[in-house]
Amino acid sequence: GTAALGNGRVGVWAYAASDTRIGGQTQGARNVISGNGDYAGASNYDSGVMAQASPRLVIEGNYIGTDVNGTGALGNVGSGIQITDSPDSSIGGSAAGARNVISGNGKWGAYVAGSLGTRILGNLIGGKVDGSGALGNASHGVYVAANTIANEPTNVTGGGTASGEANTIAWNGGNGVLVLKGLNNPIRGNSIHTNASMGIAHS
């Protein structure tokens, strides 16, 4: 878990796979998903985790873009997580052990498009596992989009005020959070700092 041995395209790909779980809340359930996508023809198929049309997807407890210790970058060429059209999904969670470390990737930390009701909770996005320093993703920490419909309600939740719900989103190369096209996306309770552009941006 200390050297890049990536697959040529996506590390984990879920397609039309309802109720899929990637990782878990114990150390033994953790995946290290890093170094993937180093293939000239991969185009957008270069992320650590990619999901399409997979409702109720759960991604929790993983190190995505880091080494096995969560302190060094072994980034995926694209985003850490990229999910589209996968409603009611969860990235992280409030429970102990549900946090993903999503750091060191070549594009966004987590990209969510057209996935109504998805929750992004309790993650560390752009830092080392202990929060002690920078391990930023190259672009935005969290990117929320609604595909092509500008006023489509997306209801994506980033963080929250209950125990364990807040994300730490820091040291990324773009905005901490970018919400592009979409409505009803509460971003609250998070620690968002030291990103290269804005903390939270909406367009």
Side-chain angles (χ1 to χ4, degrees):
T2 58
L5 297 171
N7 301 287
R9 295 192 178 186
V10 177
V12 179
W13 185 24
Y15 180 76
S18 301
D19 302 294
T20 294
R21 181 179 299 273
I22 300 169
Q25 297 179 18
T26 65
Q27 183 174 351
R30 176 184 304 144
N31 298 292
V32 178
I33 306 171
S34 301
N36 299 291
D38 189 13
Y39 176 71
S43 185
N44 290 327
Y45 293 85
D46 55 5
S47 298
V49 176
M50 184 174 183
Q52 298 165 294
S54 297
R56 299 175 300 280
L57 175 75
V58 176
I59 305 170
E60 62 180 8
N62 304 288
Y63 289 178
I64 303 175
T66 78
D67 63 12
V68 70
N69 300 308
T71 57
L74 294 177
N76 298 287
V77 171
S79 304
I81 296 171
Q82 181 172 329
I83 65 173
T84 57
D85 301 319
S86 299
D88 297 317
S89 293
S90 297
I91 299 173
S94 60
R99 178 184 72 163
N100 298 290
V101 178
I102 310 168
S103 300
N105 297 290
K107 292 182 183 176
W108 309 293
Y111 173 87
V112 177
S115 297
L116 185 70
T118 290
R119 299 162 298 281
I120 306 169
L121 304 175
N123 303 286
L124 175 57
I125 303 174
K128 298 179 181 180
V129 65
D130 61 358
S132 65
L135 205 63
N137 300 288
S139 189
H140 312 306
V142 175
Y143 187 173
V144 178
N147 287 342
T148 59
I149 303 174
N151 293 318
E152 175 186 339
T154 44
N155 297 347
V156 173
T157 299
T161 58
S163 177
E165 291 185 341
N167 301 287
T168 297
I169 306 169
W171 297 294
N172 296 290
N175 300 301
V177 178
L178 173 62
V179 180
L180 178 66
K181 298 180 181 178
L183 299 173
N184 305 328
N185 300 294
I187 310 296
R188 56 186 181 178
N190 304 288
S191 175
I192 304 174
H193 64 86
T194 325
N195 296 289
S197 189
M198 300 181 185
I200 301 172
H202 185 277
S203 177

